[in-house]
């Protein structure tokens, strides 16, 4: 048994070649017109646009990705997989003695081949395409890992399967005391338990795996009742026992998780037939990862902004879907309220603040009206394009002056 791994599959997938492969597949698909009203040419035009308009910014400069499928794009895995299907089909047909078994998942492949053919076959697959190269790993002591599966072969040649963990695995899971909804924590048990029952082939190994999971999760704070809850839910689902008093869903809504509050909101929404899903307010990715250069303030779009005067307390609050710089240039005209004020006072253009961001046109108008009311901007001729009833004044002003936990005054317009 040998495993092969494609080196940097997405970035090595040639776009032009992939488009040709996909176009040919679509033309040979006799059932395509039963699934879509789009023609092959229309589909290809859309796909080409998605694959060839990948731009990114680094160190203040914009770049275009010329080759390879973009990491993170929803269409990249499909494109790379179709590219690899064509590659492996041609590669296996062109080898005089194909492997007994070839199984691939994305860029990981498990192969069963005669031992004296391994080196020759490896050279063959690495010579078929200039951009597709494989790394190879042989079995050791009758075992080889593939993804999270450890394949073992006994002396009779029979295979068994168990869960594989890398040597760097720490047995750490979502801590039960962390600020996450209960269903996420129960999902940890359900996922690890289902993996044990799906992958592990021997009953004694399966029980050892479950005991290992129980021990590691106990360290993370999971108690016995959590396992019982998962087992009870699975039993109900397996036996298709319907829940009582369930109102048909009228739609779904995402809400942030706040312990003790979200659960009550979910029950309230559920009573009105609205399904809910919970989304985190903060993630490690949002706090630590910055995949793009920070945009300059004046280049931002969809903003609610404030223009101050350098010589007095006057301010102007506005909103714009266009770049802020474009809107500020318009404010410099004498016909605008800011421009008129600039005729006798010095406007602090460098001190312009972005108060909020919002892409939705309606919501941006609401936020503009809230900030005009909150900051009491006297250069505004009106209260914004959204009519905000005076009923909200007490709520806006009381939230604005509410002390925070650190003793500071909260000025969050949201």
């Amino acid at each position: 048994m040998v495993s092969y791994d494609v080196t940097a599959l997405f970035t090595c997938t040639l776009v032009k070649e992939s488009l040709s492969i996909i176009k040919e597949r679509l033309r040979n698909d006799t059932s395509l017109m039963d699934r879509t009203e789009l023609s092959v040419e229309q589909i290809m035009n859309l796909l080409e646009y998605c694959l060839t308009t990948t731009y990114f910014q680094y160190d203040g400069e914009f770049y275009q990705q010329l080759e390879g499928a973009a990491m993170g794009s929803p269409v990249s895995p499909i494109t790379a997989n179709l590219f690899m299907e064509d590659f492996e089909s041609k590669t296996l047909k062109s080898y005089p003695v194909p492997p007994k078994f070839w199984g691939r998942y994305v860029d990981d492949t498990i192969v069963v081949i005669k031992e004296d053919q391994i080196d020759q076959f490896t050279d063959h697959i690495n010579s078929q395409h200039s951009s597709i190269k494989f790394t190879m790993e042989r079995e050791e002591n009758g075992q080889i890992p593939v993804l999270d599966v450890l394949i073992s072969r006994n002396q009779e040649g029979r295979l068994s399967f168990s869960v594989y963990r890398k040597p760097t695995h720490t047995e750490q899971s979502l801590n039960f005391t962390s600020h996450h909804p209960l269903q996420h924590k129960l999902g940890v048990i359900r996922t690890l338990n289902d993996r044990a029952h799906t992958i592990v082939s021997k009953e004694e190994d399966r029980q050892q795996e479950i005991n290992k999971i129980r021990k590691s999760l106990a360290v993370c704070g999971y108690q016995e009742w959590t396992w019982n809850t998962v087992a009870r839910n699975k039993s109900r689902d397996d036996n298709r026992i319907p829940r009582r008093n369930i109102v048909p869903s009228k739609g779904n809504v995402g809400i942030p998780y706040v312990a003790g509050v979200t659960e009550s909101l979910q029950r309230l929404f559920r009573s009105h037939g609205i399904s809910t899903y919970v989304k985190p307010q903060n993630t490690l990715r949002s706090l630590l990862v910055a995949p793009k250069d920070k945009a300059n303030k004046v280049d931002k779009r969809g903003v609610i902004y404030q223009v101050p005067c350098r010589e007095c307390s006057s301010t102007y609050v506005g909103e714009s879907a266009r770049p802020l710089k474009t809107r500020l240039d318009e404010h410099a005209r004498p016909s605008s309220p800011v421009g008129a004020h600039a005729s006798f006072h010095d406007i602090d253009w460098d001190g312009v603040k972005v108060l909020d961001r919002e892409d939705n046109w309606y919501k941006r108008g609401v936020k503009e009206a809230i900030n005009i009311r909150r900051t009491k901007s006297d250069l505004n001729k009106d209260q914004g394009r959204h009519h905000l009833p005076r009923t909200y004044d007490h709520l806006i002003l009381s939230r604005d002056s509410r002390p925070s936990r650190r003793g500071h005054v909260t000025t969050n317009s949201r």
Side-chain angles (χ1 to χ4, degrees):
M1 295 181 293
V2 180
S3 68
Y4 290 101
D5 184 16
V6 181
T7 303
L9 174 59
F10 281 12
T11 54
C12 290
T13 300
L14 301 182
V15 172
K16 291 184 179 179
E17 189 172 337
S18 300
L19 290 172
S20 299
I21 294 169
I22 295 172
K23 187 174 184 178
E24 186 65 22
R25 291 281 293 267
L26 290 174
R27 284 177 173 174
N28 295 331
D29 188 348
T30 57
S31 63
L32 180 64
M33 293 300 102
D34 297 333
R35 304 195 305 275
T36 179
E37 296 181 359
L38 296 176
S39 65
V40 173
E41 287 70 24
Q42 290 172 326
I43 295 174
M44 293 308 303
N45 286 338
L46 291 170
L47 181 59
E48 182 178 5
Y49 180 80
C50 292
L51 292 173
T52 59
T53 55
T54 303
Y55 298 91
F56 59 94
Q57 187 178 10
Y58 174 73
D59 198 20
E61 296 289 336
F62 282 94
Y63 297 86
Q64 180 182 11
Q65 182 174 335
L66 299 179
E67 281 299 348
M71 297 292 291
S73 170
V75 77
S76 293
I78 303 171
T79 303
N81 190 57
L82 292 171
F83 177 81
M84 283 302 299
E85 283 186 12
D86 181 79
F87 170 85
E88 64 189 2
S89 175
K90 295 176 179 177
T91 300
L92 295 177
K93 287 181 180 178
S94 62
Y95 192 69
V97 186
K100 186 175 182 180
F101 176 81
W102 170 285
R104 178 182 58 84
Y105 181 80
V106 190
D107 59 349
D108 290 290
T109 304
I110 180 67
V111 175
V112 176
I113 190 173
K114 292 183 178 180
E115 188 171 359
D116 58 1
Q117 290 287 320
I118 294 177
D119 293 334
Q120 184 178 348
F121 180 71
T122 303
D123 292 339
H124 173 73
I125 63 176
N126 278 329
S127 64
Q128 296 304 297
H129 201 286
S130 59
S131 69
I132 299 299
K133 303 299 177 184
F134 293 84
T135 58
M136 182 264 291
E137 181 181 356
R138 299 169 184 256
E139 68 169 84
E140 292 185 5
N141 301 320
Q143 294 183 329
I144 189 168
V146 181
L147 301 174
D148 60 347
V149 180
L150 180 65
I151 306 175
S152 303
R153 176 168 49 86
N154 61 20
Q155 295 180 350
E156 290 77 26
R158 294 184 178 275
L159 300 180
S160 61
F161 306 93
S162 57
V163 174
Y164 173 72
R165 294 175 176 84
K166 292 183 178 181
T168 55
H169 186 71
T170 61
E171 298 293 344
Q172 292 294 313
S173 298
L174 178 65
N175 196 287
F176 196 79
T177 61
S178 61
H179 191 259
H180 285 76
L182 178 61
Q183 57 262 39
H184 288 186
K185 299 167 186 175
L186 298 181
V188 173
I189 298 177
R190 184 169 56 251
T191 300
L192 296 178
N193 197 41
D194 287 348
R195 185 177 70 166
H197 283 84
T198 302
I199 292 178
V200 184
S201 56
K202 293 182 179 180
E203 181 58 36
E204 59 270 24
D205 293 339
R206 184 180 299 117
Q207 192 56 50
Q208 289 181 4
E209 174 65 19
I210 293 175
N211 292 338
K212 186 180 183 68
I213 296 171
R214 281 180 171 270
K215 183 177 180 180
S216 64
L217 290 185
V219 175
C220 297
Y222 291 75
Q223 301 178 22
E224 186 65 25
W225 68 265
T226 59
W227 286 84
N228 296 334
T229 301
V230 171
R232 184 168 58 251
N233 292 341
K234 179 175 176 56
S235 175
R236 183 191 61 233
D237 294 339
D238 290 344
N239 296 318
R240 291 180 172 81
I241 301 175
R243 297 182 181 180
R244 294 177 295 178
N245 302 325
I246 295 297
V247 181
S249 178
K250 299 176 183 178
N252 59 77
V253 61
I255 56 177
Y257 182 71
V258 179
V261 176
T262 300
E263 290 84 358
S264 298
L265 288 175
Q266 286 180 315
R267 289 191 293 268
L268 180 62
F269 278 121
R270 192 183 305 122
S271 66
H272 293 280
I274 300 175
S275 302
T276 58
Y277 62 90
V278 178
K279 53 185 180 181
Q281 293 177 290
N282 294 309
T283 63
L284 287 177
R285 178 181 177 86
S286 65
L287 296 174
L288 303 178
V289 180
K292 298 181 180 179
D293 285 355
K294 188 175 182 180
N296 292 327
K297 176 175 60 177
V298 294
D299 294 328
K300 293 181 178 180
R301 300 169 181 263
V303 297
I304 296 89
Y305 59 91
Q306 182 183 45
V307 182
C309 176
R310 186 176 278 112
E311 300 181 31
C312 66
S313 60
S314 296
T315 60
Y316 178 90
V317 171
E319 59 85 18
S320 178
R322 297 172 296 166
L324 178 57
K325 182 179 184 303
T326 302
R327 191 71 183 102
L328 293 181
D329 290 341
E330 295 173 347
H331 281 307
R333 300 170 183 171
S335 58
S336 81
V338 178
H341 190 79
S343 63
F344 54 90
H345 271 185
D346 186 16
I347 299 297
D348 186 8
W349 298 108
D350 294 331
V352 173
K353 297 179 181 179
V354 174
L355 302 177
D356 213 333
R357 295 284 302 277
E358 180 58 60
D359 292 328
N360 182 276
W361 180 85
Y362 177 81
K363 293 180 180 179
R364 192 168 61 250
V366 174
K367 291 184 177 182
E368 178 197 31
I370 291 174
N371 279 282
I372 292 174
R373 194 76 54 84
R374 181 178 67 84
T375 59
K376 301 178 181 178
S377 301
D378 54 346
L379 294 184
N380 289 82
K381 293 182 178 180
D382 52 34
Q383 295 298 306
R385 59 177 170 82
H386 177 81
H387 175 68
L388 187 68
R390 287 290 175 181
T391 310
Y392 292 99
D393 283 4
H394 177 72
L395 178 63
I396 294 171
L397 298 177
S398 63
R399 178 176 176 81
D400 220 27
S401 59
R402 185 184 61 189
S404 68
R405 292 181 181 178
R406 296 182 180 180
H408 300 300
V409 175
T410 301
T411 58
N412 187 352
S413 63
R414 297 181 185 181

